[in-house]
Structures are given as C-alpha cells and as structure tokens.
C-alpha cells in the first residue's frame, strides 16, 4: 500500500511538470488564468492531484494569475473541495457557478481549461464530471486550450469510443433538493435536503458527460503529453507505459 501511494504521488508530480511545461509552451509569458471543473487535487490522489497539481505548479512558479473554480453542480465538488484546496495553498482563486463560464470566456478572462478524467476511451473521448463537455465547446469557440490531465491508467483500451461509455444517472433529489445536513428542517429526515422544486419533479442528473477527442487540445499524463489526441497516439503512450512498468 505504501509503495502504491508513493507511485501515485510521483505520477502526480510528473503530471504537474508536464502540464506546466505545456502551459508555458501554449501560453508564453505566464500570468495564466485557468478554469477548472470538479475536484482534481490531493483529495483524489496520493500526491497533489492531476489537473489541480498543474495549476498548483503554475502558482508555485509565479505563473498563475487566477484559478477560476466551477462550483460543479449539483454536488458542488468545486465549491466544497477545490476552493478549499486552493485557499489552503494560498492560490488566487474565484468561485463561479457553472453557467457563468460562458460569460467568463466572452470577457476574455480564460487562458486555458484544465480538467481531470474518470475514463478516457481508446479514441481519446474523455468522460468527466458533467459540465466538462460544455466547457470544451466554449473553449473551442473562443480558441482556448482545453487540457485533460490524468494518469495513464485512466486510458481504457477496451472502450473503443465515447458512445461505449455508460454514464451513471444519479438520484433526482440531488437536483431537486439542496443538501444542508447542518441545518435542521422541520419534517425532514436527518441528512435530507431542502426542496427547491415542486414535489414530484423529475430530474435529469447524469454523473458525467463525454467530450470527443477533437475538442481536446492535449491529454497530459505522467508518461508525457498526447497532442493531437488520436487512437494511435494513445495506444503508443499506453504501450510505452507498460514497457516502463515491466522494466
């Protein structure tokens, strides 16, 4: 267990280094304004995370101007977790609702998008927390790099494309209620939520969405950067990673 923990921490550090080098290549001069979604910091890793680790490396190098943190509704991983990690690290950050991202792009306030991934299909399609795909569309329209940071183990060669990824549908109450466990609500069960929609309202609540590879500028892993993102490039990366592991 300790060995796996150490390997994960080392992989996180390598992703951070590769990601920062890519940012400096795409955005010379520093002053990066980075938009991120969901949580990708030390709470999800044995090290300092994936996408968040890149932003943290930019901060430590004096090249991060602002970290824009999506709330990441409905479970608010950005507000509850990423904002906490950014504050703890002394980063300049600002929280925004997911649907405010478009106006942020339109104002020219985003230099790059950095997200993690729950799974990357063989063709480079990226499944990540719902709300990631709209950011990729916005980034493409506004000519902003959309960068995915994830370990090689996230690439799943047995899943050929994005359509083959089964997306979990979460309970509707996550959308129709606001969870406030520390606020007593008369007549509500312990740990229940405060209703914000009429009783009986159905909700569409997918856990993830899938971004096609043509909208992904680069995939950053501990073994290097893949750009452009293609089936062949990902397969070569995975093969190289297996050789490193065996040796």
């Amino acid at each position: 267990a300790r060995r796996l923990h150490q390997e994960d921490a080392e992989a996180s550090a390598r992703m951070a280094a590769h990601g920062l080098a890519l940012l400096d290549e795409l955005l010379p001069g520093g002053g990066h304004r980075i938009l991120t979604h969901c949580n990708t910091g030390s709470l999800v890793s044995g090290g300092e995370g994936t996408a968040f680790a890149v932003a943290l490396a930019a901060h430590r190098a004096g090249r991060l101007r602002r970290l824009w943190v999506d709330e990441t509704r409905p479970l608010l991983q950005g507000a509850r977790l990423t904002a906490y990690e950014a504050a703890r690290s002394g980063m300049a950050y600002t929280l925004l609702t997911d649907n405010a991202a478009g106006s942020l792009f339109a104002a020219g306030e985003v230099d790059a998008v950095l997200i993690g991934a729950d799974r990357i299909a063989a063709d480079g399609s990226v499944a990540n927390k719902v709300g990631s795909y709209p950011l990729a569309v916005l980034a493409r329209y506004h000519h902003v790099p959309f960068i995915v940071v994830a370990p090689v183990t996230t690439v799943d060669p047995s899943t050929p494309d994005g359509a083959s990824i089964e997306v979990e549908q979460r309970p509707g109450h996550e959308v129709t209620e606001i969870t406030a466990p520390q606020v007593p609500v008369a007549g509500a069960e312990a740990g229940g939520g405060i209703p914000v929609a009429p009783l009986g309202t159905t909700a569409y609540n997918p856990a993830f969405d899938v971004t096609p590879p043509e909208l992904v500028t680069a995939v950053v892993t501990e073994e290097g950067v893949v750009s452009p993102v293609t089936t062949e490039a990902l397969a070569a990366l995975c093969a190289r990673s297996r050789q490193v592991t065996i040796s």
Side-chain angles (χ1 to χ4, degrees):
R2 290 191 178 98
R3 179 177 58 82
L4 289 172
H5 184 190
Q6 183 62 32
E7 289 175 358
D8 195 42
E10 291 171 355
S12 176
R14 293 201 301 272
M15 280 184 274
H18 290 313
L20 181 58
L22 177 64
L23 281 179
D24 288 342
E25 177 184 341
L26 296 174
L27 306 166
H32 308 320
R33 296 165 298 177
I34 296 171
L35 173 63
T36 191
H37 191 71
C38 199
N39 179 252
T40 58
S42 58
L43 294 172
V44 305
S45 163
E48 292 182 323
T50 57
F52 185 85
V54 177
L56 185 57
H59 165 66
R60 288 172 174 162
R63 297 200 282 276
L64 180 69
R65 179 174 167 188
R66 176 69 48 182
L67 181 67
W68 299 110
V69 180
D70 267 356
E71 275 187 324
T72 317
R73 294 183 174 182
L75 297 182
L76 304 177
Q77 294 97 326
R80 294 186 296 112
L81 306 178
T82 303
Y84 162 74
E85 292 182 333
R88 183 179 63 174
S89 301
M91 303 165 75
Y93 75 97
T94 300
L95 185 67
L96 64 146
T97 61
D98 297 2
N99 55 5
S103 63
L104 202 60
F105 277 97
E109 292 291 332
V110 180
D111 298 313
V113 179
L114 287 177
I115 67 165
D118 289 89
R119 187 190 305 187
I120 301 174
D123 72 338
S125 297
V126 176
N128 194 54
K129 184 57 59 182
V130 67
S132 300
Y133 171 55
L135 293 180
V137 175
L138 283 165
R140 174 55 56 92
Y141 181 80
H142 291 281
H143 308 290
V144 169
F146 183 87
I147 300 167
V148 176
V149 187
V152 173
T153 52
T154 307
V155 180
D156 182 8
S158 65
T159 300
D161 51 35
S164 304
I165 299 175
E166 184 177 354
V167 176
E168 174 194 1
Q169 292 293 326
R170 300 278 303 173
H173 69 78
E174 292 177 352
V175 176
T176 61
E177 299 176 1
I178 295 177
T179 301
Q182 296 178 340
V183 179
V185 181
E189 296 181 3
I194 301 172
V196 293
L199 185 66
T201 298
T202 59
Y204 175 64
N205 186 22
F208 312 102
D209 55 27
V210 180
T211 300
E214 57 267 25
L215 295 182
V216 180
T217 305
V219 172
V220 176
T221 75
E222 73 273 31
E223 300 298 339
V225 177
V226 173
S227 182
V229 181
T230 64
T231 302
E232 295 75 18
L234 283 174
L237 178 75
C238 290
R240 187 165 67 247
S241 175
R242 284 194 295 271
Q243 291 173 355
V244 170
T245 301
I246 292 172
S247 61

